[in-house]
Amino acid sequence: MAAVALLPLCSCHFPRFTFGPPYQKQLPRVNPTRPRLAIPASSMASLDGDPIREWILSEGRASKIVRIAPVGGGCVNEANRYVTDIGSFFVKTNRDIGPSMFEAEAIGLDTMYATNTVRVPKSYKAELGRQLAEMHKKGNSNNGFGFMVDNTIGSTPQQNPWTQDWITFYSEYRIGYQLKLAQQQYRDNDLYEKGQKLLQNLPFLFKDLEVKPCLLHGDLWSGNIAADKERHPVILDPASYYGHNEAEFGMSWCAGFSSAFYNAYFEVMPKQPGFEQRRDLYKLYHYLNHYNMFGSGYRSSCTSIFDSYVHLLQV
């Protein structure tokens, strides 16, 4: 029997795809020596640049995909069985409906699983939320915000000098640094000026809020989240530093975090006042980084966030 997952692949590199949060079910192991079947073009993407294939051959721990075959039984989603050298992966996708449908399915599966009766797939998202909150709660720093070494976010240098104030750290070494890169690389003075206006008014988003330095993974998207053979969550490829715990959700647009994940997280680390108003602030760092790494396709996401804060802060 092989672990089978609905894969929450990152839309930042493949914007045509929308995937929900992962859950597993079990399929009988298929003999990988069976003849390879033709792959209907209407059923799935080409193997070249196929994000599902890339996930299976990396996070899925397979080294070879033997064949891919459509799975029948439904008319809403596309379903395919990826047969690999370590077993079969069941993958359900939908290019037209947002992730909320799959998130709701995951909640239903979790609820039924909790009864310990009929066998259903087990989601690891709630466990990930709880364990991540426990790491944030226990991973503290006496040196303030930053890290003992500089590192990278993607391929971009990430500076982590010890700083006593979070707003100063995030302004100078996160948003401010990315804005300087964009200005140098693209001569994007308009974006730079929008960013400076936001940074000057950043304290309004943290009014009456005590921010404590927490140990962060720093780059938590679906490609850096996996599960072991018992389906316990595993996180890898960090860009760690000590920062505001909410900054951990900056890559949520590429992570497929479900309501079960957030509910479990906030049971351990209660939601702070103004959380919703700061969500885009932490996404902004990663959108800017993607703009600097991958080009203009991410600029509109950056300007949209800047414009929304200009309206919110009335500046």
Side-chain angles (χ1 to χ4, degrees):
M1 305 291 281
V4 180
L6 176 64
L7 307 177
L9 300 175
C10 179
S11 62
C12 56
H13 297 292
F14 307 97
R16 293 176 298 148
F17 293 83
T18 302
F19 299 89
Y23 61 86
Q24 70 168 22
K25 61 193 295 186
Q26 298 290 329
L27 290 177
R29 180 159 185 160
V30 177
N31 184 353
T33 62
R34 291 179 60 180
R36 180 171 180 156
L37 300 182
I39 303 169
S42 60
S43 298
M44 58 180 306
S46 166
L47 285 180
D48 293 333
D50 177 7
I52 299 171
R53 178 180 182 274
E54 292 179 8
W55 193 97
I56 290 174
L57 295 178
S58 56
E59 305 305 325
R61 305 295 190 268
S63 60
K64 179 174 65 174
I65 295 177
V66 178
R67 68 185 180 97
I68 307 170
V71 177
C75 59
V76 176
N77 305 297
E78 290 186 12
N80 289 282
R81 182 174 184 165
Y82 284 64
V83 182
T84 77
D85 57 324
I86 63 171
S88 294
F89 289 78
F90 173 77
V91 182
K92 184 168 68 170
T93 64
N94 193 304
R95 293 172 173 80
D96 301 315
I97 300 176
S100 60
M101 178 179 68
F102 291 143
E103 290 174 356
E105 286 186 11
I107 293 172
L109 290 169
D110 288 339
T111 305
M112 290 186 292
Y113 183 88
T115 67
N116 197 30
T117 53
V118 64
R119 188 179 183 185
V120 296
K122 177 186 178 182
S123 168
Y124 61 74
K125 285 296 186 179
E127 185 179 1
L128 174 62
R130 177 180 56 78
Q131 292 182 349
L132 190 67
E134 290 174 350
M135 183 183 79
H136 291 168
K137 196 169 186 177
K138 294 178 181 179
N140 302 313
S141 165
N142 294 323
N143 296 317
F145 302 94
F147 206 50
M148 56 282 296
V149 295
D150 292 341
N151 46 31
T152 58
I153 181 70
S155 59
T156 307
Q158 182 169 261
Q159 299 176 336
N160 300 309
W162 292 116
T163 309
Q164 292 303 309
D165 177 67
W166 170 245
I167 295 177
T168 301
F169 178 87
Y170 196 69
S171 296
E172 293 187 12
Y173 304 112
R174 293 299 180 259
I175 302 300
Y177 181 75
Q178 293 287 344
L179 288 171
K180 290 177 182 177
L181 290 180
Q183 188 183 43
Q184 294 168 2
Q185 184 172 196
Y186 304 118
R187 299 185 185 278
D188 198 334
N189 293 322
D190 179 64
L191 192 73
Y192 183 84
E193 291 174 2
K194 287 177 181 287
Q196 293 304 312
K197 185 177 292 187
L198 171 60
L199 294 182
Q200 291 168 9
N201 292 275
L202 211 56
F204 289 101
L205 295 174
F206 295 88
K207 187 177 181 180
D208 300 325
L209 186 69
E210 182 183 6
V211 180
K212 296 181 180 180
C214 301
L215 179 61
L216 307 180
H217 174 281
D219 191 17
L220 201 61
W221 66 286
S222 60
N224 291 340
I225 302 171
D228 61 21
K229 62 182 180 180
E230 284 81 29
R231 298 302 290 172
H232 297 303
V234 177
I235 57 177
L236 53 151
D237 293 342
S240 293
Y241 65 98
Y242 289 91
H244 189 194
N245 67 300
E246 294 176 6
E248 193 77 280
F249 309 130
M251 279 293 288
S252 60
W253 50 285
C254 271
F257 293 145
S258 65
S259 57
F261 167 87
Y262 284 110
N263 290 340
Y265 180 89
F266 289 130
E267 285 181 3
V268 179
M269 289 283 286
K271 183 186 296 186
Q272 295 175 301
F275 170 79
E276 286 76 14
Q277 292 182 339
R278 291 184 296 273
R279 293 186 73 166
D280 282 350
L281 177 66
Y282 293 127
K283 292 179 183 179
L284 178 61
Y285 172 59
H286 296 279
Y287 277 126
L288 285 168
N289 187 48
H290 276 63
Y291 176 37
N292 285 316
M293 288 197 301
F294 303 117
S296 61
Y298 294 92
R299 188 181 188 279
S300 61
S301 297
C302 300
T303 57
S304 177
I305 291 177
F306 282 132
D307 291 342
S308 67
Y309 277 120
V310 167
H311 176 74
L312 174 67
L313 301 173
Q314 298 182 344
V315 296

